[in-house]
Amino acid sequence: MRRFTGLKAVFQREFQGYFSSPLGYIFIVIFLVASGYLTVSRDFGRFLELRQASLDPFFSAIPWIFVVLVPAVAMRLWSEERKTGAVELLLTLPVTLPGAYLGKFLAGWSFLGVALALTAPVVYQAERLGNPDLGVVAIGYLGCLLVAGVYLAIGMAFSAATRSQVVAFILGVAGRVLFLLIGLPQTQQVIGSLAGGYVEQVVSSLSVVDHFDNLTRGLVQIGTFFFFAAFTVGWLTTGMLVLDRTKAS
């Protein structure tokens, strides 16, 4: 499709870029250490102490780890190019804005997928302890990938809105924390007491945590996939509109 001209070239350049510098490897190491620590720590997941063939401690930690690490991946995707003026140069090539934007998104999303795939030893350890339902495990990993996509789309929108990577990182973290906090029971109770049960239900439906928890429990619902797809597409569209406006100005 001509609308997405240059998608493949941008994807290949960006994806290879993650592994052409130490930063990509540093990110993966930090992610693996953080996810492993929060899974087996006595203060958090207590995976080894519980000695259960369940990956709930691991899956519970992933959204919170992504709150910090995904903005680190997203902040450079457009902020640096806006700062150096490379955006204008990029779009003078035979590359459309949707093609370039989606290419960067898919590259970052694939990189996060590689990081998730490297946590496979956790699954192996769960199999040693018992007989986990691998179907539920696979759906849980799919949920992690969908959360990564939403977080990355949010981060790219903020990256497109500013020339500062630091500002993009801070806004990205704040945006993700907001969507996590509204999923906490305490937050929903406060909203319900102040605004009523209907508003509480609406806010609850926007919670990343609630939809993610459904997948980690093996509950496959069309509404859950629609939520992640709508949020991801919505934030990607917002980012493209912001980038197009700033480019025009």
Side-chain angles (χ1 to χ4, degrees):
M1 297 176 61
R2 296 182 61 184
R3 178 176 174 81
F4 297 103
T5 300
L7 187 155
K8 182 178 179 180
V10 173
F11 169 82
Q12 292 176 339
R13 187 195 70 173
E14 293 293 329
F15 185 72
Q16 292 172 359
Y18 287 112
F19 299 99
S20 62
S21 70
L23 293 178
Y25 299 98
I26 291 173
F27 171 90
I28 290 177
V29 170
I30 293 175
F31 172 72
L32 294 178
V33 171
S35 60
Y37 173 76
L38 292 179
T39 299
V40 304
S41 171
R42 293 181 178 181
D43 298 323
F44 298 98
R46 304 175 63 209
F47 176 75
L48 296 178
E49 291 185 357
L50 295 175
R51 298 192 65 82
Q52 296 178 355
S54 171
L55 291 181
D56 287 344
F58 169 75
F59 289 135
S60 297
I62 292 299
W64 296 98
I65 296 173
F66 278 167
V67 163
V68 177
L69 293 187
V70 174
V73 174
M75 67 181 185
R76 55 167 289 275
L77 290 177
W78 288 109
S79 295
E80 186 65 22
E81 296 202 3
R82 284 197 58 200
K83 182 178 179 180
T84 60
V87 160
E88 289 77 6
L89 177 62
L90 174 65
L91 297 180
T92 58
L93 302 174
V95 176
T96 61
L97 177 58
Y101 202 92
L102 192 58
K104 284 177 174 285
F105 170 76
L106 291 177
W109 201 15
S110 298
F111 175 71
L112 294 171
V114 171
L116 279 170
L118 293 176
T119 62
V122 178
V123 181
Y124 171 74
Q125 183 63 32
E127 287 189 318
R128 287 186 60 193
L129 294 175
N131 187 28
D133 189 333
L134 295 182
V136 174
V137 172
I139 295 173
Y141 267 94
L142 175 60
C144 293
L145 195 59
L146 293 175
V147 170
V150 170
Y151 284 3
L152 184 62
I154 294 173
M156 286 186 65
F158 288 124
S159 179
T162 177
R163 290 182 171 86
S164 170
Q165 293 190 42
V166 175
V167 173
F169 176 80
I170 294 174
L171 291 177
V173 171
R176 291 162 183 80
V177 168
L178 175 63
F179 283 111
L180 281 178
L181 290 180
I182 64 175
L184 298 178
Q186 300 87 337
T187 305
Q188 294 180 10
Q189 289 177 3
V190 171
I191 293 175
S193 63
L194 294 176
Y198 177 76
V199 176
E200 180 183 354
Q201 291 179 355
V202 172
V203 172
S204 177
S205 68
L206 299 176
S207 167
V208 173
V209 172
D210 286 352
H211 291 283
F212 175 70
D213 286 345
N214 288 338
L215 291 175
T216 58
R217 291 195 298 268
L219 299 177
V220 180
Q221 299 174 327
I222 295 178
T224 297
F225 290 106
F226 177 79
F227 167 83
F228 283 111
F231 254 54
T232 303
V233 172
W235 279 100
L236 288 175
T237 302
T238 299
M240 279 189 280
L241 291 174
V242 170
L243 187 63
D244 187 54
R245 171 169 289 190
T246 54
K247 177 177 68 69
S249 61

